[in-house]
Amino acid sequence: MEGLSVSSLSANQSTVQVNMGAGLHDGGVASQWSPYCKEDLMRGGEELCFEELRAERYNQQKQKEMEEKMRHLKEQQEQLSQELEEKKRLLLRKSQQISNVDQPAAAPFKILDESGSKESVRKSEPSSDELPDDVFLRPDEKGLCVRVQFPTRPDQNLQQNRPPGQPSRTERDLRAERDLRAERDLRAERELRAERDLRAERDLRTERDLRADQDPDSQESVSQPKKQLSPIEEISVEAASLTSPGELSGGNFSPLDQEQDQNQNQNQEQDQNQNQDQEQDQEQDQEQDQDQDQETLSQSHAVDPCDPEVRRQLLDLFDITSSANLHSEQRPLPAVEECSLLDLGGDTFFIESRLLDRHSVSIFRAAADNQSVFIKVERCSAPWDFYLFTRLKENSPSADRAALISCFLFEDGCVTVYTPPADHQLTVVADCGPDLARVGVTAVRLLELVLQLHGCSLLHAGLQPGVLASCGAAANQDWLFPLDWSSSLDLDLQKDVRSVQQIPSAQGYIRLGLLQPADPPHTVDLVGVAETIYFLLTNSEMKPERHGSSWTLKQYGGVRPGY
């Protein structure tokens, strides 16, 4: 049925109708019927098949169900809004009723004298409208007889009619208030006890610090026990302290003055204790801030700036995938071996030899179209080398002599290809040999490369002769560039890298003592320049060692200083 047109369907169905009609005429019993709707099939200028008609009816039915559901939800929302408004009105009305309830005013307080005539007593008797809260003075009594009756409260009848043994509402409120007060007092007592313990601990710490700050002589004097005095000597000492000129000046000494002096001394001591507590609190806050800063610094040091995930997040900030030299391959990383063929983007490369094999990085020398190229294979899908090389080339004044770069992204890695421009060739710096003139030119080009890197806030952090290549038509026009950027950093993006302690490739120099942990990051490249030049001169690895305040090389035995 797939790909069947409506016209062919119509023709076949018409044939079926004719055959069926002829058969039915022969029987003369049934009538003809049509298996499709002619109006839907022949409407307008378009023709629809059965599947399209069925899909149209299904979409219309779904649209109708969705509209019905939306209408039902709107009705529920309106109903809930009305109920909410009704609840708000009821709450407002009840609050107004509670605020409008007034307590009945008490009748005036009167004092009556019953020693007079009965008429005066009868006249002074309270009416039924007034409350009998009066004071009567009887003739046979020497004092006052007070009869007080409180006005009837609205809940008095409820209290009188409550079952025996059940507490009234007032009693429950008093009990709840008493329990709340007791709980509040207990909480305040706990807080006071905790504060007292904290203050005692602070005083003990302050006393310990003061003892530690004192010199040994004073500590010995403090640690000596108090000399035992005889009763006569103690009395003489107390008398001398009481008869001091400050206390008996003018003969105005009194116990009240002594008590005031004691109160003043206590207030001064309290003020001093408060000041000490404040100073201790400030010191603790400063210590906490320092601890937090150290913790933050240690956390920043704990993050590896060369981690592939960190680099992938940094590259997400740029639209690097739109570059014409960046290609995506929807397949796993191919196996690359010596004396084998590698197909990349329609070009075939012959792998001649392996230049570097370290961890998940391999660099090969290959040939394509009678040209020597370099290929780097890495088990990381972040095109970090492509990004840094492009930045270096954009900021280089001799970009016309720079090598061409292409990057192929695979599912589990990437392949970077360095090809020379026309009439240029690529060579490895380690293959130059110990020619002094050649080494001098290479040293100048290497220093220019480091200046260009640091000028655009790039840090290679792994300069070695095996990863450096030159591109040029003549020896004095070579343009040096790194083949491997695995240890490199972009200090514009990675602003938290402030010292060599955060660079993984610098840890060997730090353990050796050649670099200090707080040294700036750019010093790593300077050590790399020294190692590269030493290798070009001696064709051996540089092994520095410390002799006093200077550094020498092991092969000189401390006789000739190196750098």
Side-chain angles (χ1 to χ4, degrees):
M1 294 295 294
E2 185 174 354
L4 185 62
S5 63
V6 176
S7 59
S8 60
L9 280 173
S10 302
N12 293 334
Q13 290 168 357
S14 300
T15 306
V16 172
Q17 286 181 0
V18 172
N19 294 334
M20 290 179 63
L24 291 175
H25 267 299
D26 295 338
V29 178
S31 61
Q32 295 183 0
W33 59 277
S34 176
Y36 58 88
C37 182
K38 295 181 180 180
E39 290 78 7
D40 291 337
L41 288 177
M42 307 303 295
R43 65 183 180 184
E46 60 181 4
E47 296 182 358
L48 302 177
C49 65
F50 291 106
E51 295 298 331
E52 291 175 340
L53 292 174
R54 189 178 296 110
E56 185 178 359
R57 287 197 302 270
Y58 177 78
N59 293 332
Q60 292 176 358
Q61 183 179 0
K62 285 296 181 181
Q63 182 69 22
K64 186 177 180 181
E65 292 177 358
M66 185 63 67
E67 292 177 356
E68 184 68 21
K69 189 174 182 180
M70 292 297 295
R71 185 182 60 79
H72 183 64
L73 291 176
K74 288 182 179 179
E75 291 178 357
Q76 288 184 349
Q77 183 179 4
E78 292 178 358
Q79 183 179 359
L80 291 176
S81 300
Q82 293 176 1
E83 292 180 359
L84 182 60
E85 293 294 334
E86 185 67 23
K87 295 293 184 182
K88 287 182 179 179
R89 285 197 296 269
L90 291 176
L91 182 60
L92 180 61
R93 189 183 308 164
K94 187 170 293 186
S95 61
Q96 291 177 355
Q97 291 177 359
I98 293 174
S99 61
N100 292 333
V101 174
D102 298 329
Q103 296 291 339
F109 189 79
K110 298 180 181 180
I111 299 178
L112 304 178
D113 187 2
E114 292 185 352
S115 61
S117 60
K118 294 181 180 180
E119 296 178 358
S120 62
V121 175
R122 190 178 297 110
K123 291 179 181 179
S124 62
E125 287 180 356
S127 62
S128 60
D129 298 335
E130 296 179 355
L131 295 176
D133 297 344
D134 304 328
V135 178
F136 297 91
L137 182 62
R138 301 183 184 277
D140 56 346
E141 293 177 349
K142 295 182 180 181
L144 292 176
C145 179
V146 181
R147 184 176 69 236
V148 180
Q149 181 178 355
F150 292 97
T152 303
R153 294 189 298 272
D155 58 344
Q156 187 173 1
N157 296 329
L158 296 176
Q159 294 181 5
Q160 291 176 358
N161 297 330
R162 74 176 183 272
Q166 181 180 0
S168 62
R169 183 179 302 173
T170 306
E171 293 176 358
R172 288 198 301 270
D173 295 342
L174 290 175
R175 188 179 303 169
E177 185 178 357
R178 184 169 58 251
D179 295 340
L180 183 61
R181 190 183 298 111
E183 184 180 358
R184 191 185 301 114
D185 295 340
L186 182 60
R187 190 184 301 111
E189 184 178 358
R190 289 177 181 173
E191 293 177 356
L192 183 61
R193 189 183 300 112
E195 184 178 359
R196 186 165 57 249
D197 295 342
L198 182 60
R199 183 172 298 176
E201 184 180 357
R202 289 177 179 174
D203 294 341
L204 182 61
R205 190 185 306 160
T206 304
E207 184 178 358
R208 192 184 300 112
D209 295 340
L210 291 175
R211 288 180 181 177
D213 295 339
Q214 291 177 352
D215 55 344
D217 298 334
S218 62
Q219 291 182 1
E220 292 178 359
S221 63
V222 171
S223 62
Q224 290 179 356
K226 187 177 181 180
K227 185 179 180 181
Q228 297 287 341
L229 299 177
S230 63
I232 299 177
E233 291 176 346
E234 290 180 356
I235 294 174
S236 63
V237 171
E238 292 178 357
S241 63
L242 290 174
T243 58
S244 60
E247 294 179 352
L248 299 179
S249 59
N252 295 330
F253 176 74
S254 64
L256 182 60
D257 296 336
Q258 185 178 3
E259 185 177 359
Q260 292 178 354
D261 294 339
Q262 291 178 357
N263 293 334
Q264 292 179 358
N265 293 332
Q266 291 178 358
N267 293 333
Q268 292 177 359
E269 291 178 357
Q270 291 179 357
D271 295 339
Q272 291 178 358
N273 293 332
Q274 291 179 358
N275 294 332
Q276 291 178 359
D277 293 341
Q278 292 178 358
E279 292 177 357
Q280 291 176 2
D281 293 340
Q282 292 178 358
E283 292 178 357
Q284 289 181 356
D285 294 339
Q286 292 178 358
E287 292 178 356
Q288 290 178 357
D289 294 339
Q290 292 178 359
D291 294 340
Q292 291 179 357
D293 294 340
Q294 292 179 358
E295 184 178 359
T296 304
L297 185 61
S298 63
Q299 289 178 356
S300 63
H301 289 175
V303 177
D304 185 5
C306 299
D307 186 78
E309 187 62 29
V310 174
R311 291 177 173 178
R312 191 175 292 107
Q313 294 176 2
L314 294 175
L315 292 178
D316 289 341
L317 302 175
F318 304 94
D319 189 13
I320 192 172
T321 57
S322 61
S323 176
N325 296 323
L326 188 65
H327 312 281
S328 180
E329 298 281 346
Q330 301 299 328
R331 57 185 175 122
L333 187 67
V336 183
E337 299 294 340
E338 295 181 356
C339 300
S340 63
L341 296 177
L342 178 62
D343 187 12
L344 295 175
D347 297 331
T348 303
F349 300 90
F350 176 73
I351 307 300
E352 296 179 348
S353 61
R354 187 189 303 266
L355 300 178
L356 178 67
D357 190 4
R358 181 176 53 197
H359 302 297
S360 60
V361 176
S362 298
I363 299 178
F364 298 91
R365 188 198 304 268
D369 298 334
N370 297 325
Q371 285 186 338
S372 179
V373 299
F374 295 114
I375 296 177
K376 177 188 175 182
V377 182
E378 186 176 5
R379 292 284 179 182
C380 177
S381 58
W384 188 250
D385 290 35
F386 180 80
Y387 165 71
L388 294 181
F389 184 85
T390 305
R391 278 206 58 192
L392 175 64
K393 190 174 179 180
E394 290 175 352
N395 293 273
S396 176
S398 56
D400 54 339
R401 294 186 283 111
L404 305 178
I405 186 173
S406 301
C407 185
F408 298 87
L409 295 180
F410 293 87
E411 295 177 355
D412 54 348
C414 64
V415 176
T416 306
V417 181
Y418 297 95
T419 58
D423 300 331
H424 286 66
Q425 60 181 357
L426 298 178
T427 56
V428 181
V429 174
D431 298 339
C432 296
D435 185 6
L436 294 180
R438 178 68 173 170
V439 171
V441 174
T442 304
V444 174
R445 297 289 183 266
L446 184 58
L447 292 175
E448 292 177 352
L449 171 63
V450 172
L451 288 177
Q452 293 174 8
L453 288 171
H454 295 177
C456 53
S457 300
L458 297 181
L459 184 69
H460 189 270
L463 292 175
Q464 295 178 359
V467 300
L468 290 174
S470 62
C471 177
N476 57 352
Q477 296 180 356
D478 288 350
W479 185 79
L480 258 64
F481 66 96
L483 293 174
D484 181 27
W485 301 78
S486 302
S487 304
S488 305
L489 304 174
D490 187 350
L491 299 182
D492 283 344
L493 299 179
Q494 299 168 298
K495 297 182 182 295
D496 54 338
V497 180
R498 301 186 184 91
S499 63
V500 296
Q501 187 178 5
Q502 302 171 256
I503 303 174
S505 60
Q507 302 306 310
Y509 302 138
I510 295 175
R511 287 192 297 269
L512 187 62
L514 192 60
L515 293 178
Q516 299 299 321
D519 289 343
H522 302 87
T523 55
V524 182
D525 285 345
L526 300 182
V527 178
V529 170
E531 287 184 337
T532 302
I533 296 176
Y534 180 83
F535 180 85
L536 296 178
L537 290 173
T538 63
N539 198 22
S540 61
E541 183 182 356
M542 185 180 69
K543 297 180 179 180
E545 60 180 2
R546 192 181 187 89
H547 290 278
S549 60
S550 61
W551 287 86
T552 59
L553 300 176
K554 284 188 177 182
Q555 67 174 3
Y556 295 125
V559 178
R560 292 176 55 189
Y563 54 97

